[in-house]
Each structure stands twice: as structure tokens, then as C-alpha cells.
Coordinates of all heavy atoms in Angstrom, one line a residue:
M1 N 91.3 101.7 103.1 CA 92.1 102.1 104.2 C 91.5 103.2 104.9 O 91.0 104.1 104.3 CB 93.6 102.4 103.7 CG 94.6 102.6 104.8 SD 96.3 102.7 104.1 CE 96.8 101.1 104.2
E2 N 91.7 103.3 106.2 CA 91.1 104.4 107.0 C 91.9 105.7 106.8 O 93.0 105.8 106.8 CB 91.2 104.0 108.4 CG 89.9 103.8 109.1 CD 89.9 103.5 110.6 OE1 90.0 102.3 110.9 OE2 89.9 104.4 111.3
T3 N 91.1 106.7 106.7 CA 91.8 108.1 106.6 C 92.0 108.6 108.0 O 93.0 109.5 108.1 CB 90.8 109.1 105.8 OG1 89.6 109.1 106.5 CG2 90.6 108.7 104.4
N4 N 91.3 108.2 109.0 CA 91.4 108.8 110.4 C 92.3 107.6 111.1 O 91.8 107.2 112.2 CB 90.1 109.0 111.0 CG 90.3 109.8 112.3 OD1 91.4 110.3 112.5 ND2 89.3 109.7 113.1
C5 N 93.5 107.4 110.8 CA 94.3 106.4 111.4 C 95.6 107.1 111.9 O 96.6 107.0 111.4 CB 94.7 105.4 110.4 SG 95.7 104.0 111.1
G6 N 95.3 107.8 113.1 CA 96.4 108.6 113.7 C 97.2 107.8 114.7 O 96.8 106.6 115.1
L7 N 98.2 108.4 115.2 CA 99.2 107.8 116.2 C 98.3 107.4 117.5 O 98.5 106.3 118.0 CB 100.3 108.7 116.5 CG 101.4 108.2 117.4 CD1 102.1 107.1 116.7 CD2 102.3 109.3 117.9
S8 N 97.5 108.4 117.9 CA 96.7 108.1 119.1 C 95.7 106.9 119.0 O 95.6 106.1 119.8 CB 96.0 109.3 119.7 OG 95.1 109.7 118.8
K9 N 95.1 106.8 117.8 CA 94.2 105.6 117.6 C 95.0 104.3 117.6 O 94.6 103.3 118.2 CB 93.5 105.8 116.3 CG 92.5 104.7 116.0 CD 91.6 105.0 114.8 CE 90.7 103.8 114.6 NZ 89.7 103.9 113.6
I10 N 96.2 104.4 116.9 CA 97.0 103.1 116.9 C 97.4 102.8 118.3 O 97.4 101.5 118.7 CB 98.2 103.4 116.0 CG1 97.9 103.6 114.6 CG2 99.2 102.2 116.1 CD1 97.3 102.4 113.9
S11 N 97.9 103.8 119.1 CA 98.2 103.6 120.4 C 97.2 102.9 121.3 O 97.4 102.0 122.0 CB 98.6 105.0 121.0 OG 98.8 104.9 122.5
D12 N 96.0 103.4 121.1 CA 94.8 102.9 121.9 C 94.6 101.4 121.5 O 94.3 100.6 122.3 CB 93.6 103.7 121.7 CG 93.6 105.1 122.4 OD1 94.5 105.3 123.3 OD2 92.8 105.9 121.9
E13 N 94.7 101.2 120.2 CA 94.3 99.8 119.7 C 95.3 98.8 120.0 O 94.9 97.6 120.3 CB 94.2 99.9 118.1 CG 92.8 100.5 117.8 CD 92.5 100.5 116.3 OE1 93.2 99.8 115.5 OE2 91.6 101.2 115.8
I14 N 96.5 99.1 120.1 CA 97.6 98.2 120.4 C 98.1 98.2 121.9 O 98.9 97.4 122.3 CB 98.8 98.2 119.5 CG1 99.5 99.5 119.5 CG2 98.3 97.8 118.1 CD1 100.8 99.6 118.7
G15 N 97.7 99.2 122.6 CA 97.9 99.3 124.0 C 99.4 99.7 124.4 O 99.9 99.3 125.4
I16 N 99.9 100.5 123.4 CA 101.3 101.0 123.7 C 101.1 102.6 123.8 O 100.5 103.2 122.9 CB 102.3 100.6 122.5 CG1 102.5 99.2 122.5 CG2 103.6 101.3 122.7 CD1 103.3 98.7 121.3
P17 N 101.7 103.2 124.9 CA 101.6 104.6 125.0 C 102.1 105.4 123.7 O 103.0 104.9 123.1 CB 102.5 104.9 126.2 CG 102.6 103.7 126.9 CD 102.5 102.5 125.9
A18 N 101.4 106.5 123.3 CA 101.7 107.2 122.2 C 103.1 107.7 122.2 O 103.8 107.8 121.2 CB 100.7 108.4 122.0
H19 N 103.7 108.1 123.4 CA 105.1 108.5 123.4 C 106.1 107.5 123.1 O 107.1 107.8 122.6 CB 105.3 109.3 124.8 CG 105.4 108.4 126.0 ND1 104.2 108.0 126.6 CD2 106.4 107.8 126.6 CE1 104.6 107.2 127.6 NE2 105.9 107.1 127.7
H20 N 105.7 106.2 123.4 CA 106.6 105.1 123.0 C 106.7 105.0 121.5 O 107.7 104.7 120.9 CB 106.1 103.8 123.7 CG 106.5 103.8 125.2 ND1 107.1 102.7 125.8 CD2 106.1 104.7 126.2 CE1 107.3 103.0 127.1 NE2 106.7 104.1 127.3
L21 N 105.5 105.1 120.9 CA 105.4 105.0 119.5 C 106.1 106.2 118.8 O 106.8 105.9 117.8 CB 103.9 104.9 119.1 CG 103.2 103.6 119.4 CD1 101.6 103.8 118.9 CD2 103.8 102.4 118.7
T22 N 106.0 107.3 119.3 CA 106.6 108.5 118.8 C 108.1 108.3 118.9 O 108.9 108.5 117.9 CB 106.3 109.8 119.6 OG1 104.8 110.0 119.4 CG2 107.0 111.0 119.1
Y23 N 108.7 107.8 120.0 CA 110.1 107.5 120.1 C 110.5 106.5 119.1 O 111.5 106.6 118.4 CB 110.4 107.0 121.6 CG 111.8 106.5 121.6 CD1 112.9 107.4 121.7 CD2 112.1 105.1 121.6 CE1 114.2 107.0 121.7 CE2 113.4 104.7 121.6 CZ 114.5 105.6 121.7 OH 115.7 105.2 121.7
Y24 N 109.7 105.4 118.9 CA 110.1 104.4 118.0 C 110.2 105.0 116.6 O 111.2 104.7 115.9 CB 109.0 103.2 118.0 CG 109.2 102.2 116.9 CD1 110.2 101.4 116.9 CD2 108.3 102.3 115.7 CE1 110.4 100.5 115.9 CE2 108.5 101.4 114.6 CZ 109.6 100.5 114.7 OH 109.7 99.7 113.7
F25 N 109.2 105.7 116.2 CA 109.2 106.2 114.8 C 110.3 107.3 114.7 O 111.1 107.2 113.6 CB 107.9 106.8 114.4 CG 106.9 105.8 114.0 CD1 105.9 105.5 114.8 CD2 106.9 105.1 112.8 CE1 105.0 104.5 114.5 CE2 106.1 104.1 112.5 CZ 105.1 103.8 113.3
N26 N 110.4 108.2 115.5 CA 111.4 109.3 115.4 C 112.8 108.8 115.7 O 113.8 109.2 115.0 CB 111.1 110.6 116.3 CG 109.8 111.1 115.9 OD1 109.3 111.0 114.7 ND2 109.1 111.8 116.7
G27 N 113.0 108.0 116.8 CA 114.3 107.6 117.2 C 114.9 106.4 116.6 O 116.1 106.3 116.2
I28 N 114.0 105.4 116.3 CA 114.5 104.2 115.7 C 114.4 104.1 114.2 O 115.2 103.9 113.5 CB 113.8 103.0 116.3 CG1 113.8 103.0 117.8 CG2 114.3 101.7 115.7 CD1 115.1 102.7 118.4
K29 N 113.2 104.4 113.7 CA 112.9 104.4 112.3 C 113.4 105.7 111.5 O 113.5 105.8 110.4 CB 111.5 104.2 111.9 CG 111.0 102.8 112.2 CD 109.7 102.4 111.7 CE 109.6 102.4 110.2 NZ 110.2 101.2 109.5
K30 N 113.7 106.7 112.3 CA 114.2 108.0 111.8 C 113.2 108.6 110.8 O 113.6 109.2 109.8 CB 115.6 107.9 111.2 CG 116.6 107.3 112.0 CD 117.0 108.2 113.1 CE 118.2 107.7 113.8 NZ 118.2 108.0 115.3
Q31 N 111.9 108.5 111.0 CA 110.9 109.1 110.2 C 109.6 109.3 111.1 O 109.4 108.6 112.2 CB 110.6 108.3 109.0 CG 109.9 107.0 109.2 CD 109.5 106.3 108.0 OE1 109.5 105.1 108.0 NE2 109.3 106.9 106.9
S32 N 108.8 110.2 110.7 CA 107.6 110.5 111.5 C 106.6 109.4 111.2 O 106.6 108.7 110.2 CB 107.1 111.9 111.2 OG 106.6 111.8 109.8
F33 N 105.7 109.3 112.2 CA 104.6 108.3 112.0 C 103.7 108.7 110.6 O 103.4 107.7 109.9 CB 103.6 108.4 113.2 CG 102.4 107.7 113.0 CD1 102.3 106.3 113.1 CD2 101.2 108.3 112.6 CE1 101.1 105.6 112.8 CE2 100.0 107.6 112.3 CZ 100.0 106.3 112.5
S34 N 103.5 109.9 110.4 CA 102.7 110.3 109.2 C 103.5 109.9 108.0 O 102.8 109.5 107.0 CB 102.3 111.7 109.2 OG 103.4 112.6 109.4
D35 N 104.8 110.2 108.0 CA 105.6 109.7 106.8 C 105.5 108.2 106.6 O 105.4 107.7 105.4 CB 107.1 110.1 106.9 CG 107.2 111.7 106.7 OD1 106.3 112.3 106.2 OD2 108.3 112.1 107.1
W36 N 105.6 107.5 107.7 CA 105.6 106.0 107.6 C 104.2 105.6 107.1 O 104.0 104.7 106.1 CB 105.7 105.4 108.9 CG 105.6 103.9 109.1 CD1 106.4 103.0 108.6 CD2 104.4 103.3 109.6 NE1 105.8 101.7 108.9 CE2 104.6 101.9 109.5 CE3 103.3 103.7 110.1 CZ2 103.7 101.0 109.9 CZ3 102.2 102.8 110.6 CH2 102.5 101.4 110.5
R37 N 103.2 106.2 107.6 CA 101.7 105.9 107.2 C 101.5 106.2 105.7 O 100.9 105.5 105.0 CB 100.8 106.7 108.1 CG 99.3 106.5 107.7 CD 98.3 107.4 108.5 NE 98.8 108.7 108.3 CZ 98.5 109.8 109.1 NH1 97.8 109.4 110.2 NH2 98.9 111.0 108.8
N38 N 102.1 107.4 105.2 CA 101.9 107.7 103.9 C 102.7 106.8 103.0 O 102.3 106.6 101.9 CB 102.3 109.2 103.7 CG 101.4 110.2 104.2 OD1 100.2 109.8 104.5 ND2 101.8 111.4 104.4
Q39 N 103.8 106.3 103.4 CA 104.5 105.3 102.6 C 103.6 104.0 102.4 O 103.6 103.4 101.4 CB 105.9 104.9 103.3 CG 107.0 105.8 103.0 CD 108.3 105.5 103.7 OE1 108.3 104.7 104.7 NE2 109.3 105.8 103.1
L40 N 103.0 103.6 103.5 CA 102.2 102.4 103.3 C 101.0 102.7 102.4 O 100.7 101.8 101.5 CB 101.6 102.0 104.7 CG 102.5 101.5 105.7 CD1 101.7 101.2 107.1 CD2 103.2 100.2 105.2
R41 N 100.5 103.9 102.5 CA 99.3 104.3 101.6 C 99.8 104.3 100.1 O 99.1 103.9 99.3 CB 98.8 105.6 102.0 CG 98.0 105.5 103.3 CD 97.5 106.8 103.7 NE 96.6 106.7 104.9 CZ 96.2 107.8 105.6 NH1 96.5 109.0 105.3 NH2 95.4 107.6 106.6
V42 N 101.0 104.8 99.9 CA 101.5 104.9 98.5 C 101.8 103.5 98.1 O 101.6 103.1 96.9 CB 102.8 105.8 98.5 CG1 103.6 105.6 97.1 CG2 102.4 107.3 98.7
A43 N 102.4 102.6 98.8 CA 102.6 101.3 98.5 C 101.3 100.6 98.1 O 101.2 99.7 97.1 CB 103.3 100.5 99.6
Y44 N 100.3 100.8 98.9 CA 98.9 100.3 98.5 C 98.5 100.8 97.1 O 98.0 100.1 96.3 CB 98.0 100.6 99.7 CG 96.6 100.1 99.5 CD1 96.3 98.9 98.9 CD2 95.5 100.7 100.1 CE1 94.9 98.4 98.8 CE2 94.2 100.2 100.1 CZ 93.9 99.1 99.4 OH 92.6 98.6 99.3
A45 N 98.6 102.1 96.9 CA 98.3 102.7 95.7 C 99.1 102.1 94.4 O 98.4 101.9 93.4 CB 98.4 104.3 95.7
I46 N 100.3 101.9 94.6 CA 101.2 101.3 93.6 C 100.6 99.9 93.3 O 100.5 99.4 92.1 CB 102.6 101.3 94.1 CG1 103.2 102.7 94.0 CG2 103.5 100.4 93.2 CD1 104.5 102.9 94.6
G47 N 100.2 99.2 94.3 CA 99.6 97.9 94.1 C 98.3 97.9 93.2 O 98.1 97.2 92.3
I48 N 97.5 98.9 93.5 CA 96.3 99.1 92.7 C 96.6 99.4 91.3 O 96.0 99.0 90.3 CB 95.4 100.2 93.4 CG1 94.8 99.7 94.7 CG2 94.3 100.7 92.4 CD1 94.1 100.8 95.6
L49 N 97.6 100.4 91.1 CA 98.0 100.8 89.7 C 98.7 99.7 89.0 O 98.4 99.5 87.9 CB 99.0 102.0 89.9 CG 98.5 103.3 90.5 CD1 99.6 104.3 90.6 CD2 97.4 103.8 89.5
N50 N 99.5 98.9 89.7 CA 100.1 97.7 89.0 C 99.2 96.6 88.6 O 99.5 95.8 87.7 CB 101.2 97.2 89.8 CG 102.4 98.1 89.9 OD1 102.6 99.0 89.1 ND2 103.2 97.9 90.9
Q51 N 98.0 96.6 89.2 CA 97.0 95.6 88.9 C 96.1 96.1 87.7 O 95.2 95.4 87.3 CB 96.0 95.3 90.1 CG 96.8 94.6 91.2 CD 95.9 94.6 92.5 OE1 94.7 95.0 92.6 NE2 96.4 93.9 93.5
G52 N 96.4 97.2 87.2 CA 95.6 97.8 86.1 C 94.3 98.4 86.4 O 93.5 98.7 85.6
N53 N 94.1 98.7 87.7 CA 92.9 99.3 88.2 C 92.7 100.8 87.8 O 91.7 101.3 88.1 CB 92.6 99.0 89.6 CG 92.3 97.5 90.0 OD1 91.8 96.8 89.1 ND2 92.7 97.1 91.1
A54 N 93.7 101.3 87.3 CA 93.7 102.8 87.0 C 92.8 103.0 85.9 O 92.3 104.1 85.6 CB 95.1 103.3 86.6
N55 N 92.5 102.1 85.0 CA 91.5 102.1 83.9 C 90.0 102.2 84.5 O 89.1 102.7 83.8 CB 91.6 100.9 83.0 CG 93.0 100.8 82.3 OD1 93.7 101.8 82.2 ND2 93.4 99.6 82.0
Q56 N 89.9 101.7 85.7 CA 88.5 101.7 86.3 C 88.4 102.8 87.3 O 87.2 103.1 87.6 CB 88.2 100.3 86.9 CG 88.3 99.2 86.0 CD 88.6 97.8 86.7 OE1 88.9 97.8 87.9 NE2 88.5 96.7 85.9
L57 N 89.4 103.3 87.8 CA 89.3 104.3 88.9 C 90.1 105.6 88.5 O 91.2 105.4 87.8 CB 89.9 103.8 90.1 CG 89.2 102.7 90.9 CD1 90.0 102.1 92.0 CD2 87.9 103.1 91.4
T58 N 89.7 106.7 88.9 CA 90.6 107.9 88.6 C 91.7 107.8 89.6 O 91.6 107.3 90.7 CB 89.7 109.2 88.8 OG1 89.4 109.3 90.1 CG2 88.5 109.2 87.9
L59 N 92.7 108.6 89.4 CA 93.8 108.7 90.3 C 93.3 109.3 91.6 O 93.8 108.9 92.6 CB 94.9 109.5 89.7 CG 95.8 108.8 88.6 CD1 96.8 109.8 88.1 CD2 96.5 107.6 89.1
E60 N 92.4 110.3 91.5 CA 91.9 110.8 92.8 C 91.1 109.7 93.5 O 91.2 109.8 94.8 CB 90.9 112.0 92.4 CG 90.5 112.7 93.6 CD 89.6 114.0 93.3 OE1 89.4 114.3 92.1 OE2 89.3 114.7 94.2
A61 N 90.3 108.9 92.8 CA 89.6 107.9 93.5 C 90.5 106.9 94.2 O 90.3 106.3 95.3 CB 88.7 107.2 92.6
I62 N 91.7 106.6 93.5 CA 92.7 105.7 94.1 C 93.2 106.3 95.4 O 93.5 105.6 96.4 CB 93.7 105.3 93.1 CG1 93.2 104.4 92.0 CG2 94.9 104.7 93.8 CD1 94.1 104.2 90.8
G63 N 93.6 107.6 95.3 CA 94.1 108.3 96.5 C 93.1 108.2 97.6 O 93.5 108.0 98.8
L64 N 91.8 108.4 97.4 CA 90.9 108.4 98.5 C 90.8 106.9 99.0 O 90.7 106.8 100.2 CB 89.5 108.9 97.9 CG 89.4 110.4 97.6 CD1 88.1 110.7 96.9 CD2 89.6 111.2 98.9
K65 N 90.8 106.0 98.1 CA 90.7 104.5 98.5 C 91.8 104.2 99.4 O 91.6 103.3 100.3 CB 90.7 103.7 97.2 CG 90.5 102.2 97.5 CD 90.5 101.5 96.2 CE 90.4 99.9 96.4 NZ 89.1 99.5 96.6
V66 N 93.0 104.7 99.2 CA 94.1 104.2 100.0 C 94.3 105.1 101.3 O 95.1 104.9 102.1 CB 95.5 104.2 99.2 CG1 95.4 103.3 98.1 CG2 95.8 105.6 98.8
G67 N 93.4 106.1 101.5 CA 93.3 106.8 102.8 C 93.7 108.3 102.8 O 93.7 108.9 103.8
F68 N 94.0 108.8 101.7 CA 94.4 110.2 101.6 C 93.1 111.1 101.5 O 92.2 110.7 100.7 CB 95.2 110.6 100.3 CG 96.7 110.1 100.5 CD1 97.1 108.9 99.8 CD2 97.6 110.7 101.2 CE1 98.4 108.4 100.0 CE2 99.0 110.3 101.4 CZ 99.3 109.1 100.8
K69 N 93.1 112.1 102.2 CA 91.8 112.9 102.2 C 91.7 113.9 101.0 O 90.7 114.3 100.7 CB 91.9 113.8 103.6 CG 91.7 113.0 104.8 CD 91.6 113.8 106.0 CE 91.5 112.9 107.2 NZ 91.4 113.7 108.4
S70 N 92.9 114.3 100.4 CA 92.8 115.1 99.3 C 93.7 114.6 98.1 O 94.7 113.9 98.5 CB 93.2 116.5 99.6 OG 94.6 116.6 99.9
N71 N 93.4 114.9 96.9 CA 94.1 114.6 95.8 C 95.6 115.2 95.8 O 96.6 114.5 95.6 CB 93.5 115.0 94.5 CG 94.1 114.3 93.3 OD1 94.5 113.1 93.3 ND2 94.2 115.0 92.2
S72 N 95.7 116.5 96.3 CA 97.0 117.1 96.3 C 97.9 116.4 97.3 O 99.1 116.3 97.1 CB 96.8 118.6 96.7 OG 96.2 118.8 97.9
T73 N 97.4 116.0 98.5 CA 98.3 115.2 99.5 C 98.6 113.9 98.9 O 99.8 113.5 99.1 CB 97.5 115.1 100.8 OG1 97.0 116.3 101.3 CG2 98.3 114.4 101.8
F74 N 97.8 113.3 98.1 CA 98.1 112.0 97.5 C 99.3 112.2 96.6 O 100.2 111.5 96.6 CB 96.9 111.4 96.8 CG 97.2 110.2 95.9 CD1 97.9 109.1 96.5 CD2 96.7 110.1 94.7 CE1 98.1 107.9 95.7 CE2 97.0 109.1 93.9 CZ 97.7 108.0 94.3
I75 N 99.1 113.2 95.7 CA 100.2 113.4 94.7 C 101.5 113.7 95.3 O 102.6 113.2 95.0 CB 99.8 114.5 93.7 CG1 98.5 114.0 92.8 CG2 100.8 114.9 92.8 CD1 97.8 115.1 92.0
R76 N 101.5 114.6 96.3 CA 102.7 115.2 96.9 C 103.3 113.9 97.7 O 104.6 113.7 97.6 CB 102.3 116.2 98.0 CG 103.5 116.8 98.7 CD 103.3 117.9 99.6 NE 102.1 117.8 100.4 CZ 101.0 118.5 100.3 NH1 100.8 119.3 99.2 NH2 99.9 118.3 101.1
S77 N 102.6 113.1 98.4 CA 103.2 111.9 99.1 C 103.7 110.9 98.1 O 104.7 110.3 98.4 CB 102.1 111.3 100.0 OG 101.7 112.2 101.0
F78 N 103.0 110.7 97.1 CA 103.3 109.7 96.0 C 104.7 110.2 95.4 O 105.6 109.3 95.3 CB 102.3 109.6 95.0 CG 102.5 108.4 94.1 CD1 101.7 107.3 94.3 CD2 103.4 108.4 93.0 CE1 101.8 106.1 93.5 CE2 103.5 107.2 92.2 CZ 102.7 106.1 92.4
K79 N 104.7 111.4 95.2 CA 106.0 111.9 94.6 C 107.2 111.9 95.6 O 108.3 111.5 95.2 CB 105.9 113.4 94.1 CG 107.1 113.8 93.3 CD 106.8 115.1 92.6 CE 108.0 115.5 91.7 NZ 107.7 116.6 90.9
N80 N 106.9 112.1 96.8 CA 108.0 112.0 97.9 C 108.5 110.6 98.0 O 109.7 110.4 98.3 CB 107.4 112.5 99.3 CG 107.3 114.0 99.4 OD1 107.9 114.7 98.6 ND2 106.5 114.5 100.3
V81 N 107.6 109.6 97.8 CA 108.0 108.2 98.1 C 108.7 107.7 96.8 O 109.7 107.0 96.8 CB 106.8 107.4 98.5 CG1 107.1 105.9 98.5 CG2 106.3 107.8 99.8
T82 N 108.1 108.0 95.7 CA 108.6 107.3 94.4 C 109.5 108.3 93.5 O 110.1 107.7 92.6 CB 107.4 106.9 93.5 OG1 106.6 108.0 93.1 CG2 106.6 106.0 94.3
G83 N 109.4 109.6 93.7 CA 110.0 110.5 92.9 C 109.3 110.9 91.7 O 109.8 111.6 90.8
K84 N 108.1 110.3 91.5 CA 107.2 110.6 90.4 C 105.8 110.8 90.8 O 105.4 110.4 91.9 CB 107.1 109.3 89.5 CG 108.4 108.9 88.8 CD 108.3 107.7 88.1 CE 109.6 107.2 87.5 NZ 109.6 105.9 86.8
T85 N 105.0 111.6 90.1 CA 103.7 111.7 90.4 C 103.0 110.4 89.9 O 103.5 109.6 89.3 CB 103.0 112.9 89.6 OG1 103.1 112.6 88.2 CG2 103.7 114.2 89.8
P86 N 101.7 110.3 90.5 CA 101.0 109.0 90.1 C 100.8 108.9 88.6 O 101.1 107.7 88.0 CB 99.7 109.2 90.8 CG 99.9 110.0 91.9 CD 101.0 111.0 91.4
S87 N 100.5 109.9 87.9 CA 100.4 109.8 86.5 C 101.7 109.6 85.8 O 101.8 108.8 84.8 CB 99.7 111.1 85.8 OG 100.5 112.2 86.2
D88 N 102.8 110.2 86.1 CA 104.1 109.8 85.6 C 104.5 108.4 85.9 O 105.1 107.7 85.1 CB 105.2 110.7 86.2 CG 105.1 112.2 85.7 OD1 104.5 112.4 84.6 OD2 105.7 113.1 86.3
Y89 N 104.1 107.9 87.1 CA 104.4 106.4 87.4 C 103.7 105.6 86.4 O 104.2 104.6 86.0 CB 103.9 106.2 88.8 CG 104.1 104.8 89.2 CD1 105.4 104.3 89.7 CD2 103.0 103.8 89.1 CE1 105.5 102.9 90.0 CE2 103.3 102.4 89.4 CZ 104.6 102.1 89.9 OH 104.7 100.8 90.2
L90 N 102.4 105.9 86.1 CA 101.6 105.1 85.2 C 102.3 105.1 83.9 O 102.3 104.0 83.2 CB 100.2 105.6 85.0 CG 99.1 105.2 86.1 CD1 97.9 105.8 85.9 CD2 99.0 103.7 86.1
V91 N 102.7 106.2 83.4 CA 103.3 106.3 82.1 C 104.6 105.5 82.0 O 105.0 104.8 81.1 CB 103.6 107.8 81.7 CG1 104.5 107.9 80.4 CG2 102.4 108.6 81.5
S92 N 105.4 105.5 83.1 CA 106.6 104.8 83.1 C 106.5 103.3 83.1 O 107.4 102.5 82.9 CB 107.5 105.3 84.3 OG 107.0 104.8 85.6
T93 N 105.3 102.8 83.7 CA 105.1 101.4 83.8 C 104.3 100.8 82.7 O 104.2 99.5 82.6 CB 104.4 101.0 85.2 OG1 103.1 101.7 85.1 CG2 105.2 101.4 86.4
S94 N 103.9 101.6 81.8 CA 103.1 101.1 80.6 C 104.0 100.8 79.4 O 105.2 101.1 79.3 CB 101.9 102.0 80.2 OG 102.4 103.3 79.9

């Protein structure tokens, strides 16, 4: 997953003005674009963890693979979405 996947890049790629996307996320979905993007990244990470790939990759490597630029941001976002850190999630699913 791309780490540089911002609102303006999405806007350019799909041809919808950035302010329309901002309205959609803030007004309709009631969450910011970055929160939405991080939820997708965490869902992708959960898929990797559920496939048993945590034995082959470190949690930091999984965070980088799903698009987080730092391990601390990955852990914080994962906990915001799931209520658990990635390592706590692994323990609870094993």
C-alpha cells in the first residue's frame, strides 16, 4: 500500500475536487480522510496477521507494508481502530 496516498492525490486521480472529498469525509462519513485511510490500513494489517504472516514479518514490517511511515503511528492507529495494540491482537487471536 502506498504511504503517500493523500487527499489531493486521490482527488487528482478520480477527478473530484479535494474540497468535495473533504466535505464527504467530514460531513457525510463524520471522520477525517486520514482516519478513514488508517482504518483501511489497519484492516489490511489485520488480514496479514490473520493469515499467519506475523511469523514471517515483524510487526514493524507489517506496518510499513500496509502504508504507515513509522511503527509508532502504526501501533497508535491500530489501537484506535481495534482497542488493542498489534501484539495484544496477536495474543488474543492465538
Side-chain angles (χ1 to χ4, degrees):
M1 190 173 264
E2 245 183 270
T3 57
N4 189 19
C5 183
L7 187 69
S8 62
K9 182 173 181 174
I10 299 292
S11 170
D12 290 344
E13 288 186 10
I14 63 175
I16 296 175
H19 67 277
H20 287 232
L21 291 175
T22 299
Y23 172 78
Y24 171 75
F25 283 104
N26 295 336
I28 307 295
K29 290 193 67 70
K30 305 290 186 215
Q31 70 181 149
S32 69
F33 170 78
S34 61
D35 287 345
W36 174 78
R37 179 186 56 202
N38 287 343
Q39 281 183 326
L40 291 178
R41 288 175 173 169
V42 168
Y44 184 27
I46 288 170
I48 291 170
L49 294 172
N50 289 342
Q51 292 172 359
N53 291 333
N55 296 333
Q56 300 160 353
L57 298 169
T58 65
L59 290 175
E60 185 173 4
I62 291 170
L64 292 172
K65 180 178 177 82
V66 301
F68 289 100
K69 291 181 182 178
S70 74
N71 193 43
S72 60
T73 305
F74 171 53
I75 293 169
R76 183 174 47 252
S77 294
F78 197 99
K79 189 168 184 175
N80 285 342
V81 171
T82 66
K84 300 176 181 180
T85 64
S87 56
D88 289 342
Y89 178 83
L90 276 176
V91 169
S92 71
T93 60
S94 58

